[in-house]
Amino acid sequence: MELIFLGTSAGVPTRTRNVTAMLLNLQHPTRAGLWLFDCGEGTQHQMLHTAFHPGKLDKIFITHLHGDHLFGLPGLLCSRSMAGNVQPLQIYGPKGIREFVETTLRLSGSWTDYPLTIEEVTPGLVVVDGLRKVTAYPLSHPVECYGYRIEEHDKPGALNAAALKAQGIPAGPLFQQLKEGKTVTLPDGRIVNGADYLAPAESGKKLAIFGDTAPCPASLELAQNVDLLVHEATLEQAMEEKANSRGHSSTRQAAQLAADAGAKKLVITHLSSRYDEQGGLSMLAECKTYFSQTTLAEDFAVVHI
Ligand SMILES: [Zn+2]
Ligand SMILES: [Zn+2]
């Protein structure tokens, strides 16, 4: 998987940072997919600077309905249609997302030529398929807001076919049962336990993408042991009280969460527009005192997971 940051500014865009959006390129050989998390104004313009086209998107997850996470959606949906894309698209977001999309399309005389499904999420499982699942966690913000935890299922370990053949066990339907870890009885009466011939399971990658939030009870579970934690750090540590009073987090709080949750890596994003490049570097330095594996998101940065 790779995550591409399309916008990393809080509230308003700056010359170097657009408002929030992230692309998750799932890069699976048989079940590839392109998911968008949040869609601030100008997201489709930002996508023009990447190798990805909105037509390739198959799912969009919105964390909350604040404009800096949402106002790019109608334009992107319409452009996707005008380009002749017919691939279905699913949108997930808090209550009100359906009304927002349907109303903006209707009032502007717009439509989509592709099947569009809109699902209003509640805390819990949002998407599950044979490879991965997405769970929504409620955050603490002035409007209903979610963080999304994306988890690949663990991959079963490979079957040691050579060892089985060396035991005189023929390849065939038996191998499938052994691969599932089952115990089978051979025609000659021998009992073979598949678990004895399986490599350890490979744990799936885990990723947590937070929406805007002050520290809250769900954060720890959402971020627990993830390979990558994406968290807002709207303000510096000295302005923590102000950040929290508006439903946001400070650098220290984002980094402390990464440490407490056992995350492998933290990327901080959603920086207030008050910070220039130097300010951003100070924010990063603050985080690193609590969690060394922190990086600062920049527009178009790519993080491999
Ligand atoms: Zn925001
Ligand atoms: Zn917000």
Side-chain angles (χ1 to χ4, degrees), residues 233-244 249-256 274-275 279 282-290:
T234 307
L235 292 171
E236 67 205 79
Q237 187 174 347
M239 299 177 76
E240 196 162 281
E241 225 169 281
K242 185 174 178 186
N244 293 169
S249 297
S250 71
T251 45
R252 183 191 72 83
Q253 290 168 326
Q256 192 60 56
R274 65 169 41 233
Y275 301 109
S282 314
M283 302 278 277
L284 176 61
E286 282 191 353
C287 286
K288 283 191 165 183
T289 59
Y290 300 96

Side-chain angles (χ1 to χ4, degrees), residues 9-11 20 64 66 68-69 141 212 248 270:
S9 179
T20 300
H64 65 301
H66 277 160
D68 60 323
H69 299 252
H141 201 52
D212 293 1
H248 291 294
H270 197 269

Side-chain angles (χ1 to χ4, degrees), residues 36-81:
L36 181 68
F37 289 83
D38 282 340
C39 191
E41 183 185 351
T43 295
Q44 63 168 321
H45 301 250
Q46 297 292 89
M47 281 186 80
L48 291 173
H49 299 285
T50 72
F52 303 101
H53 188 275
K56 296 281 182 217
L57 287 171
D58 50 5
K59 295 187 195 304
I60 298 177
F61 297 85
I62 299 294
T63 60
H64 65 301
L65 301 187
H66 277 160
D68 60 323
H69 299 252
L70 181 65
F71 285 170
L73 191 54
L76 182 142
L77 294 179
C78 294
S79 297
R80 194 179 187 276
S81 215

Side-chain angles (χ1 to χ4, degrees), residues 2-26:
E2 63 179 10
L3 188 69
I4 302 110
F5 287 85
L6 298 176
T8 56
S9 179
V12 296
T14 69
R15 283 186 189 163
T16 53
R17 294 180 183 274
N18 197 43
V19 280
T20 300
M22 278 160 264
L23 268 179
L24 182 63
N25 180 14
L26 294 166

